[in-house]
Amino acid sequence: MAQHFSLAACDVVGFDLDHTLCRYNLPESAPLIYNSFAQFLVKEKGYDKELLTVTPEDWDFCCKGLVLDLEDGTFIKLADNGTVLRASHGTKMMTPEAVAEAYGKKEWKHFMLDTGMPCRSGKYYFYDNYFDLPGALLCARVVDSLTKNSGQKTFDFWKDIVAGIQHNFKMSAFKENCGLYFPEIKRDPGKYLHSCPESVRKWLRQLKNAGKILLLITSSHSDYCKLLCKYILGDDFADLFDIVITNALKPGFFSHFPSQRPFCTLENDKEQETLPSLDKPGWYSQGNAVHLYELLKKMTGKPEPKVVYFGDSMHSDVFPARHYSNWETVLILEELRGEEGQKPEESEPLEKRGKYERPKAKPLNTLSNKWGSFFIDSISGQENTADSMVHTWSSKRISTYSTIAIPSIEAIAELPLDYKFTRFSSNNSKTAGYYPLVH
């Protein structure tokens, strides 16, 4: 495989929407997601009211790449070989000695060597994106509460979390103003969303003018997708994309057979008839990558058009697009933003801000003191030895399944389309595919 990757060589450029084209204001969106679940648990399921109170310090618990063991309420961080680097019971971090005693140097019990370990299982849950992370904090605090109040050792709260997801995020929730999340985003989108800078809009038009086919593939339903796109790109956003696919139900969009997941037409945000195949560009719901690729062959006149897909989730976007469809993949990884990710107005002195403004939650894309780096960590109990640093399981998946990883689309929007990115590959260093390069 070539050592470099260039957008100029691609025929089709596809995008996920949430946390990819649409960046959220994380210090505002995270508490909203947290509260949408916490209020449901307290009001509908009788959980302790203390779940409703979150301090700015509590957010330090959030870190992408954690796995929750649903049976015993333990969160763990895995090394690239499947051993446990750090662990907590609820929000209470375990000492290195306790981690060594509980897990030793063996692979974690549910670990599979293939780095495509599924995220969804009845036994564990893998936290891999910013919609997930507030739920990690909530689940950890539920474990604390149940342990303290009833001495529980095993847990079955997950069914209530799933009911909370259904209540707040079911397909009809946006239209029905159900739950806390959608009504609040509708009320004040500017509080929660960053509109795309002009450089990104220009870049999208530049891709289109260069003859690229542009796709938008999102698991959000069409009504929410329209609200986001109008806010971030403007009323004429649909002109930028040749094909828009909403309610795509990723990763199933890539992994399911066409017969399991046909495309549907849409009318007034309602799914209509199912289609035996995809014949022309347009706006569709659900669907599958196989039928989409057949249409892309027709549209490009090429037997094997080259597709690149941008997404923020390893589980829903990057792993399935590479593994099942063999697409090039660009991972949006806000953890690469670092301090320069702050907007100038966010760094103004406190005394200049509103007198009554509450302290902001720590942005989720900053380093967690409890969990350490998303990318590398030291083997528990060997902190001071020269060879104790190892790559995390999350960073191994990134270098295995991503073509490149970038902090945001904005970070590459002003580069020429034929810019040659160094790709991740077994011949290059493990950090080669990060842009800008991680040292």
Side-chain angles (χ1 to χ4, degrees):
M1 187 182 275
Q3 192 184 348
H4 293 104
F5 163 75
S6 155
L7 286 167
C10 298
D11 304 296
V12 182
V13 186
F15 300 94
D16 173 42
L17 180 57
D18 296 284
H19 302 286
T20 300
L21 265 179
C22 177
R23 278 189 54 235
Y24 284 74
N25 179 10
L26 297 179
E28 295 291 354
S29 63
L32 174 61
I33 294 167
Y34 178 95
N35 289 331
S36 67
F37 287 113
Q39 290 199 17
F40 177 82
L41 291 185
V42 172
K43 289 177 181 166
E44 306 295 325
K45 300 292 180 181
Y47 282 73
D48 197 308
K49 280 196 185 66
E50 67 191 19
L51 291 176
L52 299 173
T53 311
V54 188
T55 68
E57 294 73 40
D58 288 334
W59 291 100
D60 183 61
F61 183 81
C62 293
C63 176
K64 270 197 218 160
L66 301 182
V67 188
L68 166 59
D69 186 321
L70 295 173
E71 293 165 311
D72 66 12
T74 305
F75 287 80
I76 59 171
K77 179 184 183 183
L78 291 167
D80 57 3
N81 64 358
T83 55
V84 175
L85 291 167
R86 303 190 192 203
S88 74
H89 188 260
T91 63
K92 310 289 182 287
M93 297 305 290
M94 292 165 63
T95 63
E97 295 73 31
V99 171
E101 192 181 325
Y103 300 103
K105 293 192 169 125
K106 302 190 302 288
E107 278 184 4
W108 180 56
K109 60 187 174 183
H110 297 302
F111 187 76
M112 299 187 316
L113 203 54
D114 170 28
T115 44
M117 183 171 98
C119 292
R120 314 295 184 246
S121 144
K123 297 189 178 359
Y124 60 85
Y125 188 89
F126 185 76
Y127 290 91
D128 116 306
N129 63 64
Y130 292 125
F131 272 153
D132 272 350
L133 283 191
L137 175 60
L138 178 65
C139 288
R141 297 187 73 214
V142 165
V143 171
D144 291 347
S145 172
L146 295 175
T147 305
K148 183 178 83 176
N149 297 330
S150 51
Q152 276 182 236
K153 297 272 190 294
T154 57
F155 300 90
D156 63 350
F157 62 83
W158 190 249
K159 62 184 186 315
D160 297 329
I161 298 288
V162 171
I165 295 172
Q166 176 61 9
H167 175 69
N168 280 284
F169 296 101
K170 63 186 176 189
M171 216 163 100
S172 59
F174 184 93
K175 190 175 175 203
E176 293 167 6
N177 271 330
C178 212
L180 191 69
Y181 182 83
F182 288 129
E184 183 57 23
I185 298 266
K186 282 185 197 176
R187 189 187 66 77
D188 190 1
K191 182 177 177 182
Y192 301 102
L193 310 172
H194 292 302
S195 63
C196 284
E198 187 51 39
S199 61
V200 170
R201 297 180 218 209
K202 236 162 99 177
W203 179 77
L204 291 170
R205 287 193 290 270
Q206 193 186 353
L207 286 166
K208 216 158 161 42
N209 293 340
K212 313 295 177 197
I213 291 169
L214 265 56
L215 314 174
L216 185 61
I217 308 174
T218 174
S219 290
S220 290
H221 189 39
S222 55
D223 44 16
Y224 185 51
C225 171
K226 282 177 193 162
L227 178 141
L228 295 184
C229 288
K230 277 184 183 167
Y231 184 82
I232 65 166
L233 290 167
D235 289 343
D236 59 349
F237 75 90
D239 299 343
L240 289 167
F241 302 101
D242 298 279
I243 300 168
V244 177
I245 299 162
T246 52
N247 196 26
L249 305 168
K250 296 174 291 181
F253 180 84
F254 297 101
S255 61
H256 282 52
F257 292 116
S259 56
Q260 297 170 289
R261 197 58 75 69
F263 279 96
C264 303
T265 55
L266 271 168
E267 204 172 302
N268 299 326
D269 297 315
K270 282 203 180 79
E271 292 181 349
Q272 304 292 317
E273 58 180 322
T274 57
L275 302 170
S277 63
L278 209 53
D279 296 329
K280 58 180 191 291
W283 190 307
Y284 300 96
S285 192
Q286 296 198 46
N288 62 85
V290 174
H291 282 168
L292 172 62
Y293 198 65
E294 289 303 315
L295 174 60
L296 295 174
K297 287 181 192 175
K298 268 203 258 181
M299 289 173 72
T300 58
K302 294 185 176 182
E304 290 186 359
K306 190 170 180 181
V307 186
V308 59
Y309 187 62
F310 288 71
D312 70 298
S313 167
M314 281 303 301
H315 170 70
S316 303
D317 302 317
V318 171
F319 168 70
R322 167 61 58 87
H323 184 72
Y324 298 105
S325 299
N326 202 28
W327 290 359
E328 300 276 15
T329 52
V330 179
L331 176 66
I332 303 292
L333 193 61
E334 287 218 11
E335 284 73 9
L336 295 172
R337 288 176 75 82
E339 289 309 305
E340 93 289 349
Q342 280 201 329
K343 293 211 143 107
E345 68 269 20
E346 287 163 10
S347 52
E348 66 183 338
L350 277 173
E351 61 272 16
K352 284 201 175 163
R353 298 190 195 174
K355 200 191 289 184
Y356 304 109
E357 205 171 298
R358 59 188 167 78
K360 282 278 197 291
K362 177 182 87 78
L364 300 194
N365 56 357
T366 52
L367 186 73
S368 160
N369 293 318
K370 282 190 166 171
W371 292 104
S373 166
F374 175 73
F375 303 99
I376 54 171
D377 208 341
S378 53
I379 299 167
S380 200
Q382 295 183 27
E383 280 79 357
N384 299 321
T385 59
D387 53 357
S388 69
M389 296 308 282
V390 294
H391 284 265
T392 60
W393 183 68
S394 297
S395 69
K396 182 179 182 182
R397 292 179 91 210
I398 291 169
S399 59
T400 307
Y401 294 107
S402 316
T403 304
I404 58 170
I406 60 176
S408 63
I409 288 175
E410 205 178 321
I412 66 165
E414 295 186 34
L415 298 173
L417 293 187
D418 60 359
Y419 181 89
K420 289 184 166 49
F421 295 93
T422 304
R423 59 168 71 237
F424 288 112
S425 81
S426 48
N427 312 329
N428 292 332
S429 79
K430 282 191 170 145
T431 59
Y434 292 109
Y435 176 89
L437 187 60
V438 174
H439 296 291

